Amino acid sequence: MHDRSVLGPADVTDEQLARIAADSLGLDPGASRLLDSAAEEYPYELPALTTAGRYRVRGTVAENDTPRPFSVFVKHVQSWSRSPFFAFVPEDYRDMAEASVPWRTEPLAYRSDLGDRLPAGLAMPRALAVIDLDEKSAAVWLEEIDVEAVGWDLPRYAAAATLLGRLAASPRVAERADVGGHDFHIRNYYLGRLAMQVLPLLRDDDLWQHPLVAGAFDAELRCRLLRAADRAGDLVEELSGLPLATAHGDACPNNLLVRRGADGFVLIDYGFWGRLPIAFDLGQLLVGDVQIGRRSASELPAIEETIVPAYLAGLRLEGNGIEEPVVRRAHALHLLIFTGLSTLPFEHLDQAPTEDLATMARERAAIARFSLELVDATE
């Protein structure tokens, strides 16, 4: 029996799946046949602009009549022009907006030898198949990682930051920094999301009167954010002038999996992989879990003072001697530009201000204050 209908266009033939399953188990694809299979959606609550779906495919494959169960992971990636959120982009800006989000980088990364170049302690899932579906989408078939649910204490943050520092400075990784062929620049983000959406909303007087905003973002914080908004162009230019390094682009704890029984991390989600200003990956490592409500913003100072020295240590292990003040300044600018300025709960303003939403807004306000203070401290 086979039921993979949930995969839609990301599905493959039974013959292709037999080869994928055999490869996942280390069997001889030429001597293997598919006995049964079923697909289901993979539970994941966080939306992503370029992800059409995540799935688990399970079944049985036989090598020389010996049946073996298998389980693999499938990710359907696409241009974000196919995302429901694209409807909110003004018509005149759609070409620029579509080009600004590099959906092709992930399949290209899995087609490359990047996994063989990552520093010891970092790995990426083994690609079993990467299939172009049409000009704006692809399906990536991967080994399923046996993930161990672990707590992120300060030593784990330090270990992750050290490895991200090594990744940033590794000469071997740098040879695949441009694997996605996407020429992203910090100015693109400024001219796109910031200039078209975030900054105009920050200057909207009515927005600040909304109960969800007024209850969390006080008058002082409003003034500080508006002053930062007025300086945003200059801050972007400053960040753009700092040294570049290889970056994952979204190195939050959710994307640093711990494989059961193994040390280090399995790094996933390569959509924003590329060459970015030094310390770029520290931002999401710091605030990722706070943004999704998994950790309190009150922990930000302790995490901050753990990950920056650890990242520097990773840079040094790869022979990079960049000065600490440069790293701290780059980190502060990135955090404000990409996170602090957009902390207001724009997407929830049409909802009743429940206590859960009020708590979320207060946590975001704390992130905004923290990012502003980092920029002030590194001037």
Side-chain angles (χ1 to χ4, degrees):
M1 293 290 294
H2 302 281
D3 182 6
R4 303 192 301 273
S5 57
V6 70
L7 293 174
D11 198 8
V12 294
T13 66
D14 288 353
E15 290 75 17
Q16 287 175 303
L17 183 53
R19 291 193 292 272
I20 291 170
D23 188 10
S24 74
L25 297 172
L27 307 179
D28 177 5
S32 301
R33 59 190 178 90
L34 187 68
L35 301 182
D36 59 76
S37 63
E40 61 183 0
E41 291 194 37
Y42 191 89
Y44 196 83
E45 297 179 356
L46 303 177
L49 295 180
T50 60
T51 301
R54 301 174 179 87
Y55 311 95
R56 177 188 284 117
V57 179
R58 291 170 167 161
T60 310
V61 65
E63 180 190 47
N64 298 324
D65 297 325
T66 302
R68 293 274 302 275
F70 72 88
S71 182
V72 297
F73 178 80
V74 183
K75 187 174 184 180
H76 181 178
V77 296
Q78 63 182 8
S79 165
W80 91 280
S81 65
R82 294 181 176 178
S83 163
F85 298 105
F86 199 73
F88 297 101
V89 178
E91 190 74 35
D92 292 345
Y93 295 97
R94 290 190 172 183
D95 287 345
M96 182 178 72
E98 181 179 5
S100 70
V101 181
W103 74 269
R104 291 181 179 85
T105 301
E106 185 143 39
L108 289 170
Y110 279 111
R111 281 186 169 126
S112 76
D113 65 347
L114 174 60
D116 298 329
R117 294 169 175 267
L118 295 175
L122 281 180
M124 61 190 296
R126 187 164 65 91
L128 304 169
V130 180
I131 301 169
D132 294 321
L133 304 178
D134 57 37
E135 73 282 0
K136 291 190 176 184
S137 66
V140 182
W141 291 70
L142 303 169
E143 64 164 324
E144 184 174 14
I145 306 299
D146 183 12
V147 177
E148 183 175 358
V150 296
W152 275 73
D153 55 12
L154 293 180
R156 194 173 302 280
Y157 273 103
T162 300
L163 287 168
L164 290 171
R166 292 197 63 187
L167 180 148
S170 165
R172 294 194 72 239
V173 174
E175 292 177 3
R176 296 295 179 268
D178 298 322
V179 68
H182 185 266
D183 186 21
F184 177 79
H185 196 281
I186 304 299
R187 295 188 192 94
N188 297 352
Y189 180 75
Y190 173 69
L191 295 173
R193 183 165 187 252
L194 279 184
M196 291 192 298
Q197 180 188 37
V198 174
L199 299 184
L201 286 171
L202 283 175
R203 297 179 177 119
D204 182 348
D205 289 339
D206 291 339
L207 180 147
W208 294 94
Q209 308 309 315
H210 190 285
L212 198 58
V213 176
F217 293 76
D218 58 29
E220 180 187 8
L221 181 55
R222 175 184 180 180
C223 289
R224 293 179 71 190
L225 281 171
L226 288 175
R227 286 198 299 269
D230 291 339
R231 298 178 59 203
D234 291 338
L235 296 176
V236 166
E237 287 305 308
E238 182 183 353
L239 181 59
S240 299
L242 295 179
L244 299 178
T246 309
H248 174 268
D250 188 13
C252 59
N254 259 3
N255 289 335
L256 287 155
L257 308 181
V258 176
R259 193 192 297 266
R260 190 177 305 279
D263 296 327
F265 303 91
V266 179
L267 194 58
I268 62 171
D269 287 359
Y270 290 81
F272 291 97
W273 174 271
R275 288 181 58 77
L276 294 164
I278 194 79
F280 193 94
D281 280 336
L282 290 180
Q284 278 304 103
L285 183 63
L286 173 65
V287 302
D289 271 2
V290 178
Q291 289 176 315
I292 63 175
R294 189 177 290 167
R295 188 176 295 276
S296 168
S298 64
E299 299 180 60
L300 292 176
I303 298 171
E304 162 75 14
E305 286 309 312
T306 296
I307 63 176
V308 175
Y311 183 86
L312 280 160
L315 295 176
R316 302 291 184 262
L317 287 171
E318 295 291 335
N320 184 301
I322 190 169
E323 295 180 354
E324 179 176 346
V326 177
V327 171
R328 288 191 178 275
R329 183 61 175 172
H331 168 48
L333 290 170
H334 164 258
L335 188 65
L336 178 61
I337 292 165
F338 282 81
T339 302
L341 288 174
S342 55
T343 47
L344 273 72
F346 307 124
E347 72 276 27
H348 297 294
L349 299 183
D350 60 345
Q351 302 174 37
T354 64
E355 183 53 40
D356 285 346
L357 287 178
T359 299
M360 176 273 298
R362 288 192 294 270
E363 290 292 283
R364 289 194 182 184
I367 293 174
R369 289 189 186 92
F370 188 83
S371 64
L372 289 163
E373 288 164 4
L374 275 189
V375 170
D376 289 346
T378 56
E379 288 278 9

